[in-house]
Amino acid sequence: MKTFQLPYLFIFLLIVSCAATSSIVFDYDIDEDFNSHNTFVICEDDLLVEHSNYPDYDNASIREYLSQEVSSQVENLGLTVDSTNPDVQVGFRLVISEETATFRDCSEFSEFNYWRECTIETETYTDETLIIYMSNLEKNQIIWQASMPCNMNISDTKLESHIAKTVKTLFETYPNIVKPIE
């Protein structure tokens, strides 16, 4: 009976160790009165495609979905859109970079168990990060930001829900500050 449990334990540990983890990085200004803000505007520059050489990762549709979802999340915080005199500006950035990983593919020489040849293979992949930020326009400084690795290179049918989930996850780090009772 115990011989069957060991392989299941090994498989479970393998699955858990290979599970994807998303690392969210966030920060906010502890001196900022987040309750004093009532209005916002989306940074219009963030709607412009920055990485035209990566059209599957950054295009007008992705940026429009991001803008809509960020606006929705900020409205859920109780702020309203005001493009003439906003308290804060909210924006997002897609950071895209190419990374390389090098692998060794070594074959054993069967007669003496020496390495016969060791071929190095290099794989190039695209790394993408979404950053959402909020700036106090009066102070001209960022008061909150959050970022996480993401992948916008998914099918159009899943893209909108994927962006909604990603943006919502980042907004869960927004400071939940309550006004003191006076």
Side-chain angles (χ1 to χ4, degrees):
M1 186 83 170
K2 289 188 180 191
T3 59
F4 290 113
Q5 292 176 346
L6 186 59
Y8 289 124
L9 177 63
F10 177 76
I11 292 170
F12 173 76
L13 291 175
L14 180 66
I15 290 171
V16 170
S17 68
C18 293
T21 59
S22 84
S23 55
I24 298 174
V25 178
F26 68 97
D27 195 12
Y28 65 94
D29 183 353
I30 59 173
D31 296 325
E32 184 69 24
D33 181 9
F34 286 89
N35 293 314
S36 67
H37 305 302
N38 298 313
T39 58
F40 77 97
V41 66
I42 293 289
C43 179
E44 290 182 20
D45 290 344
D46 293 341
L47 296 174
L48 302 174
V49 175
E50 287 182 47
H51 307 282
S52 57
N53 51 337
Y54 296 101
D56 293 335
Y57 296 90
D58 186 5
N59 57 52
S61 297
I62 290 172
R63 290 193 174 259
E64 183 61 34
Y65 290 146
L66 281 167
S67 176
Q68 290 171 1
E69 190 56 36
V70 168
S71 292
S72 175
Q73 290 296 322
V74 175
E75 288 172 353
N76 288 344
L77 295 173
L79 282 76
T80 56
V81 177
D82 181 357
S83 56
T84 58
N85 190 24
D87 297 329
V88 295
Q89 175 178 278
V90 183
F92 55 87
R93 295 273 326 265
L94 283 172
V95 179
I96 301 173
S97 62
E98 277 192 3
E99 303 290 334
T100 57
T102 304
F103 303 96
R104 294 181 184 249
D105 179 20
C106 299
S107 303
E108 283 186 25
F109 187 68
S110 61
E111 189 173 326
F112 299 108
N113 289 334
Y114 289 114
W115 298 116
R116 183 175 59 194
E117 68 180 69
C118 198
T119 309
I120 297 176
E121 294 182 30
T122 302
E123 294 290 327
T124 302
Y125 62 95
T126 305
D127 192 27
E128 189 173 19
T129 302
L130 173 62
I131 304 168
I132 299 177
Y133 63 91
M134 181 180 289
S135 301
N136 182 326
L137 292 174
E138 186 177 308
K139 294 180 181 178
N140 195 27
Q141 74 180 31
I142 294 176
I143 57 174
W144 170 78
Q145 68 180 9
S147 66
M148 70 184 279
C150 66
N151 181 12
M152 299 298 174
N153 186 15
I154 59 175
S155 69
D156 290 340
T157 57
K158 296 179 182 178
L159 183 61
E160 194 170 355
S161 64
H162 172 70
I163 287 174
K165 180 181 175 185
T166 303
V167 170
K168 183 178 180 183
T169 300
L170 287 172
F171 268 93
E172 289 173 356
T173 68
Y174 187 81
N176 193 7
I177 301 171
V178 179
K179 288 184 180 178
I181 300 175
E182 298 174 353

